[in-house]
Amino acid sequence: LYDRPPSVLKPWNKGRVALLGDAIHAMMPNLGQGGCQALEDALVISEQLTSLSSRGEIEGALQGYRNRRLTRSAAVQGLSRFASDIIIRGFDTPAKLGFSGGKLVAENLNYAGVVTRLLQPILPVFFAVQFAFLYDGWENKFSLKQLQIGLSIFAFGSLFLIAFAATAGSEVAFAGAFAESILGAEALEGLSVWATEQSAAIQEVLNSLGGGPPGL
């Protein structure tokens, strides 16, 4: 699966020919938004063209289509990438600590499991905002309110990127790329191995405290 960065600095049309859908803003399929965004493109193009009085206005109308669609399509591209790389690859079964049969048991006590557990109360809020952005009343017109919503989603998503950079892979998040550039790829890999070893050691200690066998 492939996507690409938003075409912020590139034109979407040349003369009377314009691109739409995956041809101009390909995105990952995890939110099911590829076809939806193509339909929104078509609607905006229709609105732009039906208001014209002469063919000489077509090129300008198509540029207006690009201006109206750029912010939203770029945001949906980012959300789709976030869903693909962080939700699918970064999240894990939440860590659990408890007693079973009189023994202390730890389940999935690793970095991803712990962070997933900590973020569980926040995730419903983020998903509610995300789905409202995707499906509720976006007019494809610039406004400060819509810009605020987009920036809020970006800021909250950035926290997830930072939290899960180590588990989702440095190639899929700017935070991971930053860490790799500072520490180096070998150091980052070594840190990940160390974290895995520590979680396994903690599991063994907890199992011994609970009286269970080391392999429990």
Side-chain angles (χ1 to χ4, degrees), residues 170 173-188:
S170 58
F174 68 85
F178 176 77
E180 182 171 337
S181 66
I182 297 298
L183 301 175
E186 294 182 359
L188 195 62

Side-chain angles (χ1 to χ4, degrees), residues 29-50:
N30 300 78
L31 295 181
Q33 282 292 306
C36 295
Q37 294 306 303
L39 290 173
E40 289 191 26
D41 288 342
L43 176 62
V44 172
I45 289 176
S46 175
E47 292 175 349
Q48 291 292 114
L49 296 181
T50 53

Side-chain angles (χ1 to χ4, degrees), residues 65 84 150 175 210-211:
Y65 143 71
S84 173

Side-chain angles (χ1 to χ4, degrees), residues 10-27:
K10 298 180 180 179
W12 289 22
N13 71 295
K14 183 175 183 180
R16 300 179 181 179
V17 178
L19 299 176
L20 58 78
D22 282 353
I24 193 62
H25 46 63
M27 59 190 67

Side-chain angles (χ1 to χ4, degrees), residues 192-206:
S192 177
V193 172
W194 177 84
T196 301
E197 292 174 348
Q198 297 309 306
S199 66
I202 293 173
Q203 177 72 71
E204 291 295 327
V205 171
L206 290 173

Side-chain angles (χ1 to χ4, degrees), residues 115-179:
V115 175
T116 301
R117 168 62 70 184
L118 293 176
L119 291 176
Q120 271 188 316
I122 307 174
L123 287 175
V125 178
F126 175 76
F127 290 137
V129 174
Q130 172 183 281
F131 279 95
F133 171 76
L134 291 176
Y135 302 114
D136 186 17
W138 183 276
E139 297 180 354
N140 285 297
K141 296 178 181 178
F142 177 81
S143 72
L144 292 178
K145 180 179 179 181
Q146 292 175 346
L147 179 60
Q148 182 181 10
I149 293 173
L151 290 176
S152 299
I153 294 175
F154 172 78
F156 196 79
S158 297
L159 296 178
F160 282 102
L161 291 175
I162 294 171
F164 286 110
T167 57
S170 58
E171 76 282 0
V172 302
F174 68 85
F178 176 77

